[in-house]
Amino acid sequence: MKITTIYFSATYTTKRVVEAVAKYLANDVTTYDITNDSATDIVEIPADGVLVVGVPVYAGRVPSMAVERLRRFRGNNTPAVVVAVYGNRHYDDAVLELHDIVSECGFRTVAAGAFVAQHSIFPKVGTARPDSEDMADIERFASTTAELLANGFGDITLPGNRPYKEPGAIPIWPTASRRCTSCGACSRLCPTGAIDPAAPQGVDKSRCIKCGRCVAICPTKARRFYGIKYSLAAARFNTAFAPRRENEVWFARMK
Ligand SMILES: Cc1cc2nc3c(=O)[nH]c(=O)nc-3n(C[C@H](O)[C@H](O)[C@H](O)COP(=O)(O)O)c2cc1C
């Protein structure tokens, strides 16, 4: 089986989940990391291949930047495994939306999963997930998917609503403390070019999507979400979404 993986993953948890699914399914894997991708050429994935596509959930939706970047991948009735990774609050309409996007691009969803990971804005929620229990869930998910791929599959029914929920604004931005050494790593790896390499302590608020990549990769841990608004939101969020949520999976009907 020839697998193509595509993921948008600012703080690398989606990447981990997608890679774990793909690794279980086959050794022959071609990867497209669309987090920092400016390519526009069309990539065709033939019917005898399998797509494993993953995005993080942002405000209950597929990140809009990922939507644009996903549309250059085309299937020819190619099976797709759809993965949404979320920070223990909820995935809302993101699984359905990702399925709709890949369906419009010529793929047929064989299986879908909503997997929990550490929250990239509020890391005290879902801390250190995916953990070993999650990895076992991912392996079971991939195993059932492999059976369906081998035996044939029909339609799939997924949770979520159309029209999708309107994403709310998130009025917080990451900036750097005095520990910043101006190394420029955040500027180079920011998916939206929101950090000026000449002044990497700040952020262009009009471009920042609060994805948390600069926080995740800062070698001196200088970059963080700061401020009273953030602290208040974090206190509420950490309490409201502390209980562990379990991963959820859905499969197409057997043929
Ligand atoms: C802007 C933004 C919005 C988010 N919205 C949600 C959400 O609606 N529900 C949720 O459970 N987690 C939410 N999260 C958390 C991420 O979905 C979660 O941390 C995910 O693992 C990040 O994936 P990544 O590590 O591949 O970047 C949000 C994170 C960000 C940055």
Side-chain angles (χ1 to χ4, degrees):
M1 198 167 7
K2 197 168 165 25
I3 306 279
T4 300
T5 62
I6 306 173
Y7 54 79
F8 182 96
S9 187
T11 69
Y12 306 101
T13 59
T14 307
K15 175 179 192 279
R16 275 182 63 200
V17 176
V18 166
E19 281 177 347
V21 173
K23 191 171 157 216
Y24 187 89
L25 292 177
N27 290 326
D28 187 357
V29 179
T30 305
T31 298
Y32 293 89
D33 177 352
I34 59 166
T35 323
N36 271 41
D37 188 16
S38 55
T40 53
D41 56 308
I42 302 295
V43 176
E44 306 216 354
I45 303 169
D48 60 351
V50 177
L51 172 67
V52 182
V53 58
V55 296
V57 175
Y58 284 3
R61 298 283 303 275
V62 177
S64 54
M65 179 153 284
V67 177
E68 290 161 33
R69 294 176 182 181
L70 281 169
R71 293 210 190 273
R72 73 187 183 93
F73 297 91
R74 306 283 160 79
N76 179 14
N77 264 328
T78 312
V81 183
V82 163
V83 169
V85 179
Y86 73 104
N88 202 58
R89 184 194 66 76
H90 208 283
Y91 51 84
D92 298 310
D93 299 333
V95 174
L96 183 67
E97 186 181 9
L98 185 56
H99 158 77
D100 286 347
I101 293 164
V102 298
S103 301
E104 281 163 25
C105 292
F107 297 92
R108 283 186 307 138
T109 302
V110 56
F115 294 99
V116 179
Q118 178 164 311
H119 200 291
S120 46
I121 300 181
F122 304 114
K124 288 189 177 155
V125 172
T127 308
R129 293 184 74 183
D131 56 21
S132 55
E133 285 177 44
D134 297 316
M135 295 320 272
D137 282 350
I138 292 165
E139 193 167 317
R140 277 190 291 273
F141 170 68
S143 160
T144 306
T145 303
E147 279 171 33
L148 277 172
L149 287 167
N151 298 327
F153 64 94
D155 290 342
I156 192 165
T157 304
L158 294 169
N161 296 300
R162 302 183 189 95
Y164 316 122
K165 82 181 260 193
E166 279 300 318
I170 304 174
I172 48 173
W173 294 268
T175 50
S177 71
R178 267 179 272 162
R179 286 219 289 252
C180 172
T181 59
S182 298
C183 73
C186 55
S187 176
R188 281 193 298 280
L189 292 172
C190 172
T192 63
I195 303 172
D196 180 353
Q201 294 77 15
V203 68
D204 179 341
K205 289 185 176 177
S206 66
R207 285 177 171 234
C208 175
I209 57 166
K210 303 102 200 256
C211 68
R213 170 158 278 192
C214 56
V215 177
I217 59 87
C218 177
T220 61
K221 308 248 174 292
R223 255 191 119 78
R224 271 185 34 205
F225 292 96
Y226 291 96
I228 186 76
K229 263 190 198 160
Y230 174 71
S231 304
L232 289 172
R236 277 197 304 271
F237 198 92
N238 295 347
T239 308
F241 302 109
R244 182 183 179 97
R245 283 184 63 92
E246 295 306 331
N247 304 305
E248 290 173 68
V249 295
W250 303 269
F251 297 101
R253 275 172 277 284
M254 277 192 283
K255 268 228 162 124

